[in-house]
């Protein structure tokens, strides 16, 4: 294929990407993003994890080290399918606090410390530089492959020049779309979409080459498996320690790589997208690595011995005469490299401008805080930073000469950014993590990484002298860069991974344990760790003396005039004010700081506002006051709750009392009408018969008969009045009790005899257990006998059995005696059982046996007065009553 | 300031299932680590040879993990807003 055609298609492809990014930016500007903010685009944009290192390097890696390349994908897979642990929290925090980069996250978590931001930024830049160089190298290499394959004798391009052109082109593209505007939410829809497109291109390209290799060259799946087995290489062996370490390392890197953080957290449009990406992104990785092994195996088999395995993806189709496929593969590799470089340089530029350039600018020109438009400064800083990052990458490429194997550089970069992990995890899950601890951990980790991994990667004699490698730093053998503390057995990467992270985490923990965090740190720590508990926590600002006008001026310089005015106006409206100048309440300062930190990072935003507010936000005392205030509120509401419960109880009691009173009133009315009725019936007959008698001339036998009726009725009337008097005395509790010692047996004998007058025609079988009745009670025996008589007469009256049996059972238990009087009749229906002790309650008129229905009511009152009770006893095969009396009734109870 | 409610000790059936789904989602990467390290224990050498059998094994495990994650994901997002205050 002519080389010019290659360059032309490259340019066409870039123009196509420009068009995509441009159109999306315009749609975003119009607010019509639609499906462009879908989980699909989000997942595809995550694919910048797969750089040229994956696209070309994985095959080389597989050719050199067998299956080990898989570990680079296993780590991210595990992190993503376990998104509920960490990624969810990370994304939530990123959205809640408008985090602009991983440096911003760390600095914001640890009290908005800009020093931390600077440290993280430097680590990221140092780690990313070789990585960017790697991308340039891969593009240059792939150009070289095509150039050497050109038959038309055109001079192969100078690699240096290609690298420069690629770097400049990428810088232009990134600057054009990455720094078009200073958004309040640091999001770049155009670039994200372009990257999603590139993700599709590289996946399709790799799958196409893979399919061609498997079905075109090898001849099917089973053949390729046979070839894999036949490829008997020493490289197929893995060290378990290195295997595990690499899985861990790649899992860490996918979280801490600046470009991954950028697409994963900063560009996240919706938390729900993460759920989809949790499985879709691993699926993408799987698809990307599906054909790596076959390509490597076939490449080793078919290509000449000295061929660079990193380029098999290109050289295999080329050597088989598949120019179109090679072109596609080239574009795939080009996509991988460009997308990585674009996002990485945007992420790094954001960090550099927010944490290094702007603070420096504000420091050098304090007057600038009130002067010119900061936005242009920020944007210029970012553009320069992008150019600078790419220049660094190019410089590294130029110096290193692009010789090292791709994978080695990639892993060193991974390990560099992995040093952020302890501070990140600690910051998200441990409130006790402090700024000093984070700083110590990062610096120690960075130093150990540089000494054990980064500097040795240049080779002996380049940065570290030969003697340092063999004899250790300062001649101390336990400080050899690849055998710290004598650990020679580990392979260099595992060694560096182990020591850098162990020492890093140790310094982090020790620093955190030994230092005391400042108030802002503690606030931020609580807010980050408890981000799912809702509520932003206590205010970050005490009410300051900031001039709203000065705040507005500052906001305008960062957010732009329109956005700032809108923000201030809506805040003023929320406060119920007209115009554009809200009161500088703590809440307003908080929200303003949040908005600003979306543009310039938390640390800078915080510093700028505190400059205007005039005091360094909250103090420890403020925090304590807030805490005790909320504790007071809690206590108060607990008191309120207790009082409410008490009120509810009282209301319930009142309601019950009211119901009882109403019932009593009804009972009283019923009682009065009953009693009038009961008194009236005998009165009527007495009046009628006495009238007859006064008329005279009646036969004497009639006189006798009528006289007897009158007498009987009068007796009944008297009995009724007696009962009523008795009842009222008993109810008032004014009854005089005559306490004596009396034998229960004698009382029952007495009662049985007396009750025999009731329906004397019926003969009852009486069942008694005399020994059990040998009890002496201290009670009012007359009253108790009255109760017994009443119960036994009732049984005689109402028992409907043919052979009536009356059983009396006595039991003594715990100072109380129970006497059960049980007959074998049909008993009392369940729904009437509660009524029988009421006054004038009679079950059926048929059984009306001359009583007024007061008997049981009197019994109950007597038993109450005697300190006992009488109750209906269900389930005894007939009517049964249980009388309970205390063995010894004391005077006080009477 | 709202009085922090103590979370309920027992949950309804749907909520209970959702919680257990979260547990499953948390366990998934642990299971994944075990499965992905397992082949290293198949041979007792210091260096382990991995061949085509392992290639197939890894891809099958990988796919299974992705499948499980895909099965969990919709249930995890549902009702997330409503009760993510109650972290258990």
């Amino acid at each position: 294929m002519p080389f010019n055609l290659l360059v032309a298609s490259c340019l066409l492809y870039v123009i196509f990407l420009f068009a995509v990014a441009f159109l999306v930016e315009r749609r975003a500007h119009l607010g019509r993003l639609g499906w462009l903010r879908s989980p699909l685009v989000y997942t595809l944009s995550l694919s910048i994890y797969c750089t040229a290192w994956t696209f070309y390097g994985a095959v080389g890696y597989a050719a050199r080290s067998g299956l080990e390349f898989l570990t680079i994908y296993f780590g991210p897979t595990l992190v993503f399918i376990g998104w509920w642990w960490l990624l969810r929290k990370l994304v939530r925090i990123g959205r809640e606090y408008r985090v602009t980069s991983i440096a911003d996250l760390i600095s914001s978590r640890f009290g908005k410390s800009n020093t931390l931001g600077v440290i993280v930024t430097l680590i990221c830049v140092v780690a990313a530089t070789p990585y960017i160089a790697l991308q340039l190298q891969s593009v240059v290499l792939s150009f070289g492959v095509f150039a050497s394959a050109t038959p038309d004798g055109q001079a192969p391009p100078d690699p240096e020049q290609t690298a420069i052109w690629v770097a400049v082109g990428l810088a232009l593209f990134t600057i054009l779309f990455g720094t078009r505007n200073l958004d309040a939410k640091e999001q770049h829809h155009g670039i994200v979409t372009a990257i999603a497109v590139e993700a599709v291109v590289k996946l399709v390209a790799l799958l196409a080459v893979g399919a061609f290799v498997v079905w075109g060259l090898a001849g099917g799946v089973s053949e390729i498996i046979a070839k894999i087995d036949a490829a008997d290489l020493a490289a197929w062996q893995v060290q378990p320690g290195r295997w595990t370490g690499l899985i861990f390392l790649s899992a860490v890197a996918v979280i801490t790589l600046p470009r991954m953080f950028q697409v994963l957290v900063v560009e996240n449009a919706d938390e729900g997208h993460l759920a989809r990406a949790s499985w879709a992104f691993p699926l993408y990785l799987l698809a990307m690595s599906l054909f790596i092994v076959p390509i490597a195996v076939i490449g080793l088999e078919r290509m000449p011995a000295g061929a660079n395995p990193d380029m098999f993806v290109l050289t295999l189709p080329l050597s088989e005469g598949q120019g179109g496929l090679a072109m596609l593969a080239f574009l795939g590799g080009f996509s991988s490299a460009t997308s990585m470089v674009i996002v990485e340089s945007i992420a790094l530029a954001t960090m550099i401008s927010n944490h290094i350039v702007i603070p420096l600018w504000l420091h050098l020109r304090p007057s600038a805080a009130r002067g010119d438009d900061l936005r242009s400064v920020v944007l210029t800083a970012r553009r320069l930073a992008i150019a600078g990052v790419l220049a660094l990458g190019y410089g590294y490429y130029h110096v290193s000469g692009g010789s090292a194997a791709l994978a080695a550089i990639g892993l060193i970069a991974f390990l560099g950014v992995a040093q952020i992990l302890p501070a990140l995890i600690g910051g998200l899950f441990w409130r006790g993590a402090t700024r000093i601890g984070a700083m110590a951990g990062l610096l120690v980790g960075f130093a150990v990484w540089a000494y054990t991994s980064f500097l040795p990667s240049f080779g002996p004699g380049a940065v570290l002298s030969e003697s340092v490698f063999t004899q250790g730093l300062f001649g101390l053998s336990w400080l050899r860069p690849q055998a710290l503390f004598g650990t020679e057995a580990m392979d260099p990467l595992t060694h560096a991974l182990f020591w850098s992270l162990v020492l890093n985490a140790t310094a982090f923990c020790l620093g955190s344990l030994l230092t005391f965090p400042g108030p802002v740190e503690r606030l931020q720590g609580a807010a980050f760790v408890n981000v799912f508990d809702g509520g932003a926590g206590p205010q970050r600002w005490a009410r300051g003396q900031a001039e709203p006008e000065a705040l507005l001026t500052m906001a305008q310089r960062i957010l732009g005039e329109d956005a700032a005015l809108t923000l201030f106006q809506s805040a003023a409206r929320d406060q119920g004010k007209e115009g554009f100048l809200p009161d500088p309440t703590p809440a307003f300062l908080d929200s303003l700081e949040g908005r600003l930190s979306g543009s310039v990072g938390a640390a800078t935003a915080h510093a700028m506002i505190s400059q205007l507010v005039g005091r360094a936000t909250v103090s420890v005392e403020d925090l304590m006051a807030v805490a005790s205030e909320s504790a007071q509120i809690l206590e108060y509401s607990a008191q309120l709750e207790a009082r409410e419960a008490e009120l509810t109880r009282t209301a319930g009691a009142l309601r019950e009392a009211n119901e009882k009173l109403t019932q009593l009133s009804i009972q009283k009315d019923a009682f009065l009408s009953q009693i009038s009725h009961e008194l009236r019936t005998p009165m009527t007959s007495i009046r009628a018969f006495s009238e007859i008698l006064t008329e005279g001339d009646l036969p004497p036998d009639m006189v006798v008969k009528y006289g007897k009726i009158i007498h009987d009725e009068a007796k009944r009337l008297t009995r009724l009045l007696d009962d009523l008097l008795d009842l009222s005395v008993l109810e008032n509790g004014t009854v005089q009790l005559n306490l004596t010692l009396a034998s229960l047996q004698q009382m029952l004998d007495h009662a049985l005899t007396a009750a025999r007058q009731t329906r004397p025609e019926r003969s009852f079988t009486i069942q008694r257990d005399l020994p059990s009745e040998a009890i002496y009670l201290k009670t009012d025996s007359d009253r108790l006998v009255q109760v017994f008589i009443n119960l036994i007469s009732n049984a005689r009256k109402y028992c409907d059995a043919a052979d009536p049996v009356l059983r009396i059972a006595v039991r003594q238990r715990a100072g109380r005696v129970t006497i059960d009087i049980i007959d074998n009749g049909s008993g009392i229906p369940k729904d009437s059982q509660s009524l029988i002790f009421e006054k004038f309650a009679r079950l059926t008129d048929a059984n009306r046996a001359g009583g007024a229905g007061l008997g049981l009511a009197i019994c109950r009152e007597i038993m109450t007065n005697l300190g006992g009770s009488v109750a209906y006893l269900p389930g005894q095969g007939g009517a049964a009553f249980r009388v309970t009396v205390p063995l010894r009734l004391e005077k006080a109870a009477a | 300031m709202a009085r922090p409610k103590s979370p309920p000790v027992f949950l309804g059936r749907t909520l209970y299932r959702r919680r257990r789904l979260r547990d499953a989602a948390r366990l998934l990467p642990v299971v994944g680590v075990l499965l992905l390290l397992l082949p290293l224990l198949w041979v007792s050498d210091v260096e382990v040879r991995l061949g085509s059998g392992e290639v197939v094994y890894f891809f099958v495990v990988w796919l299974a993990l992705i499948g499980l994650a895909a099965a969990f994901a919709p249930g995890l997002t549902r009702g997330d807003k409503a009760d993510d205050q109650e972290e258990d």
Side-chain angles (χ1 to χ4, degrees):
Chain A
M1 178 188 301
F3 186 72
N4 285 340
L5 189 62
L6 185 73
V7 174
S9 49
C10 245
L11 280 177
L12 270 181
Y13 181 66
V14 171
I15 289 170
F16 166 67
L17 287 183
F18 261 91
V20 168
F22 181 73
L23 285 178
V24 171
E25 282 287 320
R26 226 178 51 179
R27 284 183 69 132
H29 194 66
L30 297 173
R32 290 184 310 179
L33 274 170
W35 61 271
L36 292 170
R37 284 164 63 104
S38 66
L40 180 72
V41 173
Y42 180 65
T43 306
L44 286 175
S45 73
L46 289 175
S47 74
I48 50 152
Y49 180 75
C50 304
T51 61
W53 177 34
T54 300
F55 195 84
Y56 296 124
V59 173
Y61 200 158
R64 291 187 198 94
S65 320
L67 284 187
E68 200 177 276
F69 82 95
L70 280 177
T71 54
I72 304 302
Y73 307 100
F74 286 162
T77 299
L78 292 174
V79 168
F80 269 82
I81 62 175
W83 63 291
W84 201 260
W85 284 110
L86 176 66
L87 294 186
R88 193 172 72 103
K89 196 167 197 178
L90 208 56
V91 170
R92 171 66 67 90
I93 288 174
R95 294 172 57 79
E96 197 107 336
Y97 299 99
R98 294 169 189 266
V99 169
T100 57
S101 66
I102 189 161
D104 190 27
L105 180 86
I106 299 284
S107 112
S108 178
R109 159 63 180 86
F110 295 103
K112 306 184 181 178
S113 143
N114 198 45
T115 321
L116 264 179
V118 172
I119 294 175
V120 176
T121 304
L122 288 180
I123 291 180
C124 288
V125 170
V126 173
T129 302
Y131 211 164
I132 290 175
L134 177 67
Q135 311 302 319
L136 295 179
Q137 180 192 340
S138 73
V139 176
V140 172
L141 275 179
S142 59
F143 267 110
V145 164
F146 272 88
S148 59
T150 45
D152 56 1
Q154 193 161 358
D158 177 24
E160 289 281 322
Q161 226 160 11
T162 322
I164 287 187
W165 280 115
V166 172
V168 169
L170 285 174
L172 277 179
F173 186 87
T174 313
I175 286 170
L176 263 179
F177 287 100
T179 58
R180 271 162 68 92
N181 47 9
L182 195 59
D183 199 9
K185 276 164 95 185
E186 196 55 54
Q187 293 188 337
H188 312 85
H189 305 291
I191 285 199
V192 166
T193 315
I195 282 160
V197 171
E198 294 197 294
V200 175
V201 171
K202 61 194 185 196
L203 181 64
V204 168
L206 204 55
L207 288 181
V209 174
F212 167 70
V213 166
V214 170
W215 284 280
L217 297 180
V221 178
S222 50
E223 281 81 358
I224 197 73
I225 286 183
K227 278 185 198 296
I228 291 174
D229 277 333
D232 192 22
L233 293 171
W236 286 103
Q237 302 189 329
V238 296
Q239 295 167 303
R242 190 174 153 91
W243 178 272
T244 317
L246 284 177
I247 291 185
F248 175 72
L249 180 58
S250 61
V252 175
V254 81
I255 306 163
T256 51
L257 277 172
R259 66 172 190 282
M260 286 311 290
F261 192 90
Q262 178 80 23
V263 285
L264 184 70
V265 178
V266 182
E267 308 279 358
N268 176 282
D270 181 347
E271 275 180 58
H273 293 178
L274 185 60
R276 196 77 67 86
S278 74
W279 59 269
F281 178 59
L283 192 63
Y284 184 92
L285 294 179
L286 185 145
M288 283 296 277
S289 46
L290 196 55
F291 291 115
I292 300 290
V293 175
I295 295 175
V297 168
I298 300 293
L300 284 175
E301 183 188 285
R302 300 209 170 204
M303 299 305 289
N308 181 1
D310 281 335
M311 285 293 129
F312 279 170
V313 179
L314 276 183
T315 47
L316 257 183
L318 266 184
S319 69
E320 301 295 328
Q322 299 284 336
L325 189 60
M327 186 68 225
L328 185 62
F330 172 79
L331 282 185
F334 188 70
S335 298
S336 314
T338 49
S339 56
M340 179 274 176
V341 172
I342 289 167
V343 179
E344 187 91 15
S345 54
I346 287 181
L348 290 177
T350 310
M351 289 190 210
I352 293 172
S353 80
N354 284 357
H355 296 285
I356 297 178
V357 179
I358 298 300
L360 214 60
W361 177 271
L362 289 176
H363 182 75
L364 293 178
R365 297 183 53 184
S367 61
R370 307 184 204 293
D372 39 24
D373 191 355
L374 250 187
R375 276 153 38 98
S376 65
V377 179
V378 174
L379 283 181
T380 315
R382 290 210 182 153
R383 287 171 186 150
L384 289 177
I386 288 173
V389 165
L390 279 162
L392 272 178
Y394 172 75
Y396 186 93
Y397 169 76
H398 181 75
V399 171
S400 73
S403 59
L406 298 180
I409 304 183
L411 287 177
I412 289 167
F414 273 23
L415 189 52
V417 291
Q419 301 310 321
I420 304 170
L421 183 81
L424 181 73
I425 300 287
L428 292 193
F429 293 96
W430 181 30
R431 276 183 63 180
T434 69
R435 189 173 63 94
I436 303 291
M439 230 179 262
L442 284 168
L443 290 176
V444 167
F446 182 67
V448 176
W449 167 72
Y451 183 62
T452 59
S453 182
F454 185 58
L455 298 181
S457 76
F458 294 98
V463 185
L464 299 176
S465 68
E466 198 85 44
S467 66
V468 171
F469 271 91
T470 50
Q471 271 123 49
L473 200 61
F474 314 123
L476 299 169
S477 67
W478 53 274
L479 278 182
R480 275 171 294 163
Q482 298 187 335
L484 277 187
F485 309 108
T487 47
E488 280 171 331
M490 285 193 259
D491 102 293
L493 185 83
T494 322
H495 172 268
L497 171 72
F498 178 79
W499 282 117
S500 63
L501 280 179
V502 163
L503 294 176
N504 179 338
T506 310
F508 171 64
C509 292
L510 276 182
S512 296
L513 292 174
L514 294 178
T515 54
F516 191 81
V520 183
E521 257 180 281
R522 295 171 76 180
L523 264 176
Q524 290 293 92
F528 274 42
V529 173
N530 303 328
V531 67
F532 288 114
D533 294 349
Q539 304 283 359
R540 284 165 186 73
W541 294 94
R543 183 178 286 269
Q545 316 86 356
E547 281 299 316
E549 220 168 323
L551 287 173
L552 178 60
T553 317
M554 181 192 65
Q556 276 177 345
R557 288 169 44 226
I558 294 176
L559 301 174
E561 200 168 323
D562 284 348
L565 281 177
T566 318
L567 176 73
F568 273 63
Q569 194 177 22
S570 74
R573 206 177 305 126
D574 287 344
Q575 291 179 2
K577 291 181 70 174
E578 290 292 315
F580 294 95
L581 295 179
D583 289 332
T585 59
F588 171 65
L589 289 177
D590 250 4
S591 72
L592 180 64
E593 189 189 334
R595 268 301 276 276
L596 294 183
S597 65
S599 294
V600 290
T604 308
H606 190 73
M608 291 183 77
I609 291 194
S610 41
Q611 203 179 358
L612 288 181
V613 173
R615 59 176 289 199
T617 65
V618 290
S619 62
V620 179
E621 286 70 31
D622 289 338
L623 274 187
M624 304 302 283
V626 168
S628 71
E629 199 174 290
S630 54
Q632 274 172 11
I633 292 173
L634 272 184
E635 196 180 324
Y636 182 60
S637 76
Q639 277 174 7
L640 275 183
E641 209 159 271
R643 207 165 297 165
E644 194 195 316
E646 199 183 314
L647 278 178
T648 316
R649 267 201 303 280
T650 314
L654 280 177
R655 199 178 311 118
E656 241 167 58
N658 185 35
E659 268 167 25
K660 213 175 212 166
L661 282 176
T662 319
Q663 237 171 11
L664 278 177
S665 151
I666 294 170
Q667 270 178 14
K668 186 202 72 194
D669 291 348
F671 179 72
L672 280 178
S673 80
Q674 256 311 326
I675 210 158
S676 336
H677 179 74
E678 294 286 340
L679 289 174
R680 198 180 155 168
T681 323
M683 276 313 241
T684 315
S685 24
I686 290 172
R687 211 177 67 200
F689 284 109
S690 55
E691 251 174 44
I692 296 173
L693 283 180
T694 46
E695 277 173 15
D697 51 274
L698 277 170
D701 54 334
M702 291 293 270
V703 172
V704 170
K705 190 183 166 195
Y706 290 167
K708 185 155 171 28
I709 291 173
I710 292 175
H711 179 74
D712 282 348
E713 290 297 306
K715 247 165 67 186
R716 201 173 130 203
L717 208 54
T718 316
R719 203 167 63 227
L720 183 64
L721 291 172
D722 280 348
D723 281 355
L724 278 174
L725 274 174
D726 207 9
L727 193 60
S728 98
V729 166
L730 285 166
E731 276 184 341
N732 291 335
T734 52
V735 66
Q736 280 295 316
L737 292 179
N738 181 21
L739 296 185
T740 51
L741 267 184
S743 158
L744 180 61
Q745 196 179 345
Q746 281 174 12
M747 284 191 273
L748 285 170
D749 286 346
H750 187 165
L752 281 167
T753 318
R756 208 166 290 152
Q757 291 168 6
T758 316
R759 294 182 71 181
E761 74 280 4
R762 300 194 69 177
S763 78
F764 268 72
T765 314
I766 312 287
Q767 293 179 351
R768 289 171 66 181
D769 178 23
L770 292 179
S772 68
E773 293 171 6
I775 299 171
Y776 277 84
L777 297 172
K778 187 184 179 193
T779 188
D780 187 328
S781 59
D782 290 346
R783 288 294 186 179
L784 194 54
V785 168
Q786 192 186 345
V787 172
F788 292 151
I789 293 173
N790 208 305
L791 293 176
I792 295 168
S793 321
N794 272 356
R796 296 188 73 96
K797 267 188 250 172
Y798 300 117
C799 179
D800 49 3
D803 295 316
V805 176
L806 187 71
R807 189 157 64 85
I808 299 176
V810 177
R811 228 171 310 158
Q812 186 186 344
R813 198 188 306 154
R816 298 183 85 79
V817 179
T818 62
I819 303 108
D820 294 348
I821 296 167
I822 305 161
D823 68 30
N824 63 341
S826 56
I828 294 170
K830 193 168 175 9
D831 48 345
S832 312
Q833 286 169 8
S834 59
L835 282 178
I836 50 177
F837 291 103
E838 298 303 322
K839 292 161 218 163
F840 301 111
R842 266 189 305 262
L843 297 185
T844 49
D845 279 340
N847 281 335
R848 181 166 175 179
L854 287 173
L856 284 176
I858 292 174
C859 284
R860 189 178 60 177
E861 291 306 327
I862 291 175
M863 289 319 297
T864 312
N865 278 289
L866 289 182
S869 64
V870 56
Y872 185 75
L873 200 62
Q876 301 296 320
F881 288 89
R882 167 166 290 181
V883 179
T884 311
V885 239
L887 202 54
R888 301 272 181 273
L889 178 61
E890 299 304 325
K891 221 30 171 201
Chain B
M1 184 167 289
R3 181 181 161 77
K5 274 180 266 168
S6 57
V9 182
F10 299 107
L11 304 162
R13 192 175 180 81
T14 28
L15 210 52
Y16 182 87
R17 284 266 63 93
R18 202 179 293 147
R19 291 287 171 81
R20 297 296 80 79
L21 190 67
R22 289 179 188 174
D23 294 347
R26 289 194 178 103
L27 281 177
L28 193 59
V30 181
V31 175
V33 168
L34 289 179
L35 288 176
L36 295 177
L37 295 183
L38 190 62
L40 304 179
L41 304 173
W42 287 347
V43 191
S44 59
D45 285 349
V46 181
E47 302 223 318
V48 184
R49 253 188 61 88
L50 299 178
S52 69
E54 281 77 13
V55 176
V56 175
Y57 168 84
F58 280 129
F59 278 97
V60 167
V61 167
W62 200 348
L63 207 59
L65 289 175
I66 292 169
L68 282 174
F72 292 162
L76 288 172
T77 353
R78 201 175 307 131
D80 186 17
K81 304 265 184 317
D83 64 350
D84 58 8
Q85 273 93 339
E86 313 143 29
E87 281 290 282
D88 52 347

